[in-house]
Amino acid sequence: MSSSVVVVGSFNVDHVWRCEALPAPGATIAGRYSTGPGGKGFNQAVAASRAGADTHFLCALGDDAGGAMARDLAAQDGFALIAEASAEPTGTAGIYVDARGRNTIVIGPGANAALSTGFLQQQSVLANAKVVLVQLESPVQTIEAALAAAREAGVTTVLNAAPADAPSTIGLLKLADVITPNETEFAALLGRHVGERVDADDVAALDGASLHALCRKLVGNGTVVVTLGAVGVFVSHADENLRGDTQPYYRVGAEQVQAIDTTGAGDAFNGALAASMAQAPEAAFARHVRFANQFAGRSTEKEGAAAAMPRFTPADL
């Protein structure tokens, strides 16, 4: 079976409270509650599918209502979900969203922490994909195995190095053709793997040459896409592989949107980027970034994570 995009990662049941302001330590505040699907992996699979790619999602689920929800929603959205059965409960997340659309999130990994290399080694879809997309809400050795299997088969690999506090290795970074951290994750990777101390709040303000130099220190041969929220996106290529672009580094401005909830915007960007790369592999990389930027912007105009992903394909550009 062939697949354009394979996403390896997490599924969570999201528990969301919407409040005027994010709760401070020791505070008790009122909020409006809702629940629904989430997890970086699932969000990105939904985004890739709604962006037009034939999508497979590899994950681990518990034998519970959350696992049943994941299977039902994947079927409704039209992508294939292949799950390793786990004795652990399906993953959960507690999310607080303020009136400005900002959020804080607490994750309970559950079954996500049990996704195994043995399970992934049985999945032929990894070698048949055009793009394999992973994140770091699953065990790092499992994610590294997924990237290694894809790389061996000549498949393009994309690593969304999120969340920022997740463990990572130099070997993991070397297996990724494209790495997509936000500014917080980028600063964490620099500190962990390069020994460069950069404040996350200062990343967006760095001049292009300086930011490009930091990207090259982090990964010698891969492409780095630093997502910068309302500021936009910074792209850094290795000089020997510009991926169809005409310059080694550049910025793409953010879309002008009426954001009401930024939860899942990074996942929207990553899923759409992978989908665009899979559907038009010969196109310049900047085209994929512009599409992903637009897709992510539209995702913030609705409440929720997976549920907020728009239906919008590269052909609509």
Side-chain angles (χ1 to χ4, degrees):
M1 182 180 294
S2 64
S3 175
S4 293
V5 173
V6 173
V7 181
V8 181
S10 57
F11 173 84
N12 290 324
V13 179
D14 285 351
H15 300 277
V16 184
W17 289 266
R18 303 184 189 282
C19 325
E20 281 300 310
L22 298 177
T28 299
I29 61 176
R32 179 166 56 89
Y33 172 78
S34 62
T35 186
K40 289 187 177 297
F42 188 81
N43 293 344
Q44 292 176 17
V46 172
S49 179
R50 293 188 183 181
D54 175 25
T55 302
H56 284 64
F57 176 47
L58 305 181
C59 63
L61 298 173
D63 183 15
D64 51 24
M69 175 197 293
R71 292 182 174 90
D72 289 346
L73 291 173
Q76 291 174 29
D77 238 294
F79 63 89
L81 184 151
I82 305 170
E84 180 175 15
S86 174
E88 296 294 322
T90 298
T92 54
I95 303 171
Y96 298 88
V97 183
D98 72 8
R100 296 169 59 185
R102 300 174 303 174
N103 64 69
T104 60
I105 304 173
V106 178
I107 300 292
N112 295 318
L115 184 63
S116 69
T117 57
F119 172 75
L120 290 185
Q121 287 166 354
Q122 301 170 21
Q123 309 307 320
S124 61
V125 292
L126 285 168
N128 293 328
K130 292 181 180 177
V131 177
V132 168
L133 170 62
V134 302
Q135 328 78 37
L136 298 176
E137 286 183 339
S138 305
V140 66
Q141 66 271 19
T142 303
I143 295 304
E144 192 162 339
L147 292 181
R151 174 63 65 84
E152 184 176 359
V155 176
T156 299
T157 54
V158 180
L159 168 63
N160 176 219
D165 60 353
S168 60
T169 66
I170 286 292
L172 186 73
L173 301 183
K174 288 182 177 179
L175 287 167
D177 296 308
V178 180
I179 299 174
T180 60
N182 65 21
E183 60 266 59
T184 302
E185 294 148 4
F186 181 65
L189 290 172
L190 287 173
R192 187 179 305 136
H193 300 299
V194 182
E196 291 274 0
R197 304 298 173 185
V198 178
D199 192 305
D201 292 336
D202 296 334
V203 170
L206 290 172
D207 65 89
S210 297
L211 190 47
H212 177 58
L214 289 172
C215 291
R216 294 304 93 215
K217 286 184 178 181
L218 184 63
V219 291
N221 297 319
T223 290
V224 181
V225 181
V226 186
T227 56
L228 301 169
V231 178
V233 178
F234 180 82
V235 177
S236 168
H237 296 300
D239 287 340
E240 62 273 19
N241 187 3
L242 300 184
R243 300 190 178 279
D245 287 339
T246 58
Q247 50 194 338
Y249 63 89
Y250 54 90
R251 294 179 186 264
V252 177
E255 292 295 305
Q256 297 301 308
V257 296
Q258 296 297 316
I260 63 171
D261 186 356
T262 61
T263 307
D267 297 331
F269 181 92
N270 280 278
L273 182 70
S276 184
M277 292 171 67
Q279 292 174 84
E282 302 305 318
F285 192 76
R287 178 177 179 239
H288 305 316
V289 173
R290 286 196 302 272
F291 171 71
N293 225 22
Q294 291 187 23
F295 192 97
R298 293 190 186 190
S299 78
T300 69
E301 296 183 325
K302 293 183 179 179
E303 292 185 351
M309 301 301 171
R311 297 186 184 277
F312 170 55
T313 73
D316 298 323
L317 278 178

